[in-house]
Amino acid sequence: MGEHTPSQLTIDPTCRIEFGPGRIGHLPELVSSLGMDRAFLVTDHGLRSAGIVDQVLKVLDTAGVEHGVYDGVGANPSTGNVDEGAARARAFGPAVVIALGGGSVLDAAKGISLLVGNADASAADADTLWEALDGLPLIAIPTTSGTGAETNGFGVIEDTAACRKVYIGHPSVKPRIALLDPELTVGLPAHITAATGIDALVHGIESLASRGANPVSVGFATQAVAMIGRWLPAAHRDGSDLEARSQLMLGAHLAGQALTISGLGLVHGIGHALTAHTGTPHGLALAAVLEEVMEFSAEAAQDSYEQTARALRLAPPTDGDWARTTIEAVREITGSIDVKRPLHVLRVHPDMLGQIAEGALADPVTRNAPLLPTKDQVLAILRATF
């Protein structure tokens, strides 16, 4: 599959981008630009412990911005997290929602913002909220370089009762501003850099191969793959390398721009199902099946894999097999950052495989895959990585 040029094309702009080291200092004026002087910060305990939350609150305090905080978002945010955060935000009152964290926090913050605007709704109503009333305006401040969640108006959260991932979103909760300050990612542990960075690389690869790809998404995805492929290993080797952190953060954002336009594919379909059943961090779930899904898709994705290879600056293969060359290069990247694990290490039991395959096929992202799989084909991928 991959890029095609439609006769007509409509693409909504994403958000205002504020990028660069030290940009966090501009947060008060960004809040004011949205017509408010109060802020409700959504984050997690890890960033509170790391001192990053206090750093951001100090910026707001110095400027006299009244603020509230919800720091209870989990690593795989649940409907319970969103409901609890929304209750806190409703009690605080009208404000700009500031999402400070990785993709989990950004996803939860979108749900919280939306529920505040819909007083009788709960996160379990996610499937019915796409036509709901507007949520609160949102500023996204990612503290990892991976998810691209600052580019879109939906979040992926866990319905623990149903053991599945659900999408919660609305046009109004697409972040108005993405504040990309790479200084917030300096010193991020290597294993988190790897897990979030591979998510960004998969966004670029799957966007290029998606049935929804078009020249605009391809432009974003190609540049994203080029930047992430070069700078992810460097940031993994040296977490204090600000140049690597900056380039990786911007590349991850561009990958988010791409996926918002094109959609993703089977790697994410399986990854979501793995996380729903085992709690595996999102990036590790993707890495577990990445090369195997690429091999399955190769026949239908030759052109897009060539685009990926050229973005990674690979030499043309003498046998013309761009797919094999690309998959080998991706395997080299995942190996260099030590991110790939067999499924049994990720607490997958053999009796889970059927349910995981069914979950992957039911996930909307899978419909964008260049080669649509059967349940037996998904099972074969899972068994190959077990």
Side-chain angles (χ1 to χ4, degrees):
M1 300 301 293
E3 172 191 1
H4 70 280
T5 303
S7 59
Q8 298 185 53
L9 188 62
T10 299
I11 297 175
D12 291 328
T14 51
C15 59
R16 173 179 171 183
I17 302 168
E18 293 286 343
F19 168 76
R23 297 301 288 178
I24 194 68
H26 295 266
L27 182 57
E29 65 192 63
L30 299 179
V31 171
S32 179
S33 74
L34 297 180
M36 293 193 180
D37 58 4
R38 306 171 82 245
F40 186 80
L41 184 70
V42 177
T43 188
D44 60 37
H45 292 310
L47 289 173
R48 174 77 86 173
S49 299
I52 293 176
V53 171
D54 287 342
Q55 178 184 345
V56 173
L57 294 180
K58 182 178 180 180
V59 170
L60 296 176
D61 282 333
T62 300
V65 178
E66 184 182 359
H67 54 76
V69 179
Y70 174 66
D71 62 3
V73 178
N76 290 311
S78 66
T79 50
N81 286 152
V82 174
D83 286 334
E84 182 180 40
R88 298 269 190 93
R90 286 166 178 152
F92 182 71
V96 172
V97 174
I98 298 174
L100 175 72
S104 297
V105 168
L106 271 59
D107 283 358
K110 294 169 191 174
I112 290 168
S113 169
L114 182 56
L115 293 189
V116 173
N118 293 270
D120 297 327
S122 68
D125 302 322
D127 292 342
T128 68
L129 292 175
W130 295 93
E131 303 297 329
L133 299 175
D134 286 355
L136 295 176
L138 196 149
I139 296 174
I141 309 176
T143 58
T144 62
S145 298
T147 70
E150 71 277 5
T151 64
N152 59 61
F154 66 88
V156 184
I157 61 174
E158 186 170 356
D159 184 337
T160 51
C163 199
R164 70 185 183 106
K165 291 288 188 176
V166 297
Y167 292 82
I168 186 167
H170 189 270
S172 66
V173 299
K174 180 188 292 186
R176 308 283 185 87
I177 300 169
L179 198 165
L180 310 176
D181 188 336
E183 288 184 348
L184 298 178
T185 70
V186 169
L188 197 68
H191 71 280
I192 297 178
T193 300
T196 55
I198 204 65
D199 186 17
L201 183 62
V202 175
H203 290 162
I205 294 170
E206 288 207 297
S207 178
L208 286 170
S210 170
R211 291 169 178 262
N214 62 48
V216 179
S217 68
V218 166
F220 283 127
T222 301
Q223 183 64 27
V225 168
M227 296 175 76
I228 297 163
R230 177 179 178 184
W231 294 102
L232 172 56
H236 182 262
R237 284 193 303 270
D238 180 3
S240 65
D241 183 340
L242 184 58
E243 175 69 7
R245 291 295 189 186
S246 298
Q247 297 287 348
L248 179 59
M249 174 168 267
L250 192 54
H253 177 77
L254 294 176
Q257 297 269 12
L259 77 87
T260 299
I261 297 168
S262 67
L264 292 167
L266 181 57
V267 179
H268 271 78
I270 295 176
H272 289 159
L274 283 171
T275 298
H277 284 271
T278 65
T280 300
H282 179 60
L284 292 182
L286 301 179
V289 298
L290 173 55
E291 296 94 331
E292 291 75 13
V293 171
M294 292 181 71
E295 288 169 347
F296 165 76
S297 305
E299 183 178 350
Q302 282 282 348
D303 290 346
S304 59
Y305 287 174
E306 179 179 347
Q307 291 172 318
T308 298
R310 292 186 183 280
L312 292 172
R313 301 180 182 178
L314 304 180
T318 56
D319 61 359
D321 190 347
W322 284 103
R324 178 188 52 78
T325 298
T326 303
I327 294 166
E328 288 177 355
V330 169
R331 186 173 284 116
E332 183 176 338
I333 292 171
T334 60
S336 74
I337 61 175
D338 189 29
V339 75
K340 193 174 183 71
R341 304 286 183 273
L343 294 186
H344 71 268
V345 173
L346 302 179
R347 297 177 296 177
V348 176
H349 301 291
D351 59 3
M352 293 180 180
L353 297 182
Q355 290 180 313
I356 291 170
E358 290 171 358
L361 291 173
D363 195 302
V365 298
T366 299
R367 299 171 199 155
N368 288 315
L371 182 60
L372 299 179
T374 64
K375 180 179 177 180
D376 285 344
Q377 288 170 326
V378 177
L379 282 170
I381 291 169
L382 294 173
R383 289 174 182 138
T385 61
F386 194 81

